[in-house]
């Protein structure tokens, strides 16, 4: 199956990117809406780790910037009720290590925040994957309060409001998110971020 694609990033096409390989074939690859792949510009050469879903009515590719994200996605879609679209929705919540932390710490309320994921499915994800998730480096992502340090910034509603404001001004969601997350100060108003 198709496991990896390298080629020229042609354009973003509604929840997916189109990548042209050196052979001239363009692949439409669905990605999480917060994927670092969106930081690339049209014409850049990109590498995408892929999962190929074969269905009766066609084949779809789902892509991720690294193997760790792909592996987490593949674990998520083994859970009954979580298909590839729901898996992408969960993957769009935060960085891979942050999602893994919440699954490993059995916090279903975080998973339930994903679009299309209800409380029952979130609890099923925790039940089925809670003991199967390996954190790469807990010291790197866990702060003194036992929470992922990048998540503390991500859940701040003022930061989220600032991201929305920047996207309204024409920045991509990923550019806006990256810029706001770089601000070290906490407890600022949206305008100050």
């Amino acid at each position: 199956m198709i496991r990896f694609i390298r080629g020229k990033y042609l354009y973003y096409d509604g929840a997916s990117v189109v990548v042209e390989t050196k052979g001239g074939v363009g692949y439409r690859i669905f990605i999480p809406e917060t994927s670092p792949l969106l930081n690339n510009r049209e014409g850049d050469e990109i590498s995408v780790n892929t999962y190929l879903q074969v269905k009766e009515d066609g084949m779809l590719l789902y892509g991720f910037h690294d193997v760790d994200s792909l592996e987490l996605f593949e674990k998520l879609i083994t859970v009954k009720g979580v298909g590839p679209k729901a898996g992408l929705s969960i993957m769009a919540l935060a960085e891979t290590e942050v999602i893994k932390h919440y699954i490993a710490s059995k916090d279903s309320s975080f998973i339930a925040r994903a679009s299309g994921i209800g409380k029952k499915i979130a609890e099923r994800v925790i039940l089925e994957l809670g003991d199967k998730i390996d954190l790469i480096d807990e010291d790197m992502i866990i702060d003194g309060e036992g929470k992922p340090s990048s998540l503390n910034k991500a859940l701040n509603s003022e930061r989220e409001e600032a991201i929305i404001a920047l996207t309204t001004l024409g920045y991509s969601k990923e550019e806006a998110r990256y810029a706001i997350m770089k601000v070290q100060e906490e407890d600022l108003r949206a305008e100050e971020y």
Side-chain angles (χ1 to χ4, degrees):
M1 297 294 175
I2 302 171
R3 198 66 174 157
F4 179 82
I5 292 179
R6 178 179 292 134
K8 184 168 60 170
Y9 173 49
L10 291 183
Y11 57 91
Y12 179 75
D13 181 25
S16 64
V17 293
V18 176
V19 178
E20 179 185 14
T21 62
K22 292 192 188 266
V25 177
Y27 291 92
R28 182 177 188 196
I29 306 168
F30 292 91
I31 61 172
E33 63 185 39
T34 57
S35 174
L37 292 169
L38 294 174
N39 290 334
N40 292 289
R41 300 278 183 222
E42 292 179 3
D44 288 352
E45 183 167 310
I46 64 171
S47 299
V48 185
N49 297 282
T50 59
Y51 170 82
L52 176 64
Q53 178 191 30
V54 179
K55 303 187 325 181
E56 289 179 11
D57 59 345
M59 295 184 282
L60 299 173
L61 279 172
Y62 296 88
F64 302 91
H65 70 286
D66 63 9
V67 174
D68 194 38
S69 298
L70 173 62
E71 289 174 352
L72 177 58
F73 173 77
E74 289 177 328
K75 286 179 183 175
L76 287 169
I77 62 175
T78 64
V79 176
K80 184 178 178 185
V82 179
K85 288 184 181 179
L88 277 186
S89 180
I90 293 170
M91 294 299 293
L93 287 173
E95 297 165 7
T96 302
E97 286 303 310
V98 174
I99 296 168
K100 284 179 160 186
H101 170 77
Y102 276 104
I103 292 173
S105 65
K106 304 191 183 323
D107 187 345
S108 63
S109 62
F110 178 77
I111 303 300
R113 295 177 69 192
S115 175
I117 301 294
K119 182 179 178 184
K120 286 184 179 182
I121 292 178
E123 289 171 354
R124 191 176 298 140
V125 167
I126 299 303
L127 180 67
E128 292 185 27
L129 299 181
D131 297 329
K132 297 178 184 176
I133 298 297
D134 299 319
L135 297 175
I136 291 176
D137 184 359
E138 287 190 50
D139 295 334
M140 179 180 75
I141 63 165
I142 306 300
D143 68 10
E145 298 173 3
K147 295 190 177 199
S149 58
S150 61
L151 184 65
N152 291 337
K153 294 179 187 176
L155 295 180
N156 180 324
S157 64
E158 293 296 321
R159 284 184 189 268
E160 291 174 358
E161 190 175 319
I163 291 169
I164 292 169
L166 287 173
T167 57
T168 304
L169 293 172
Y171 292 94
S172 74
K173 187 172 183 176
E174 190 58 31
E175 288 173 326
R177 182 176 175 272
Y178 179 74
I180 296 301
M181 295 310 228
K182 286 182 71 174
V183 177
Q184 296 297 317
E185 293 85 356
E186 294 292 337
D187 302 318
L188 299 175
R189 294 189 328 260
E191 298 84 3
E192 293 171 318
Y193 281 118

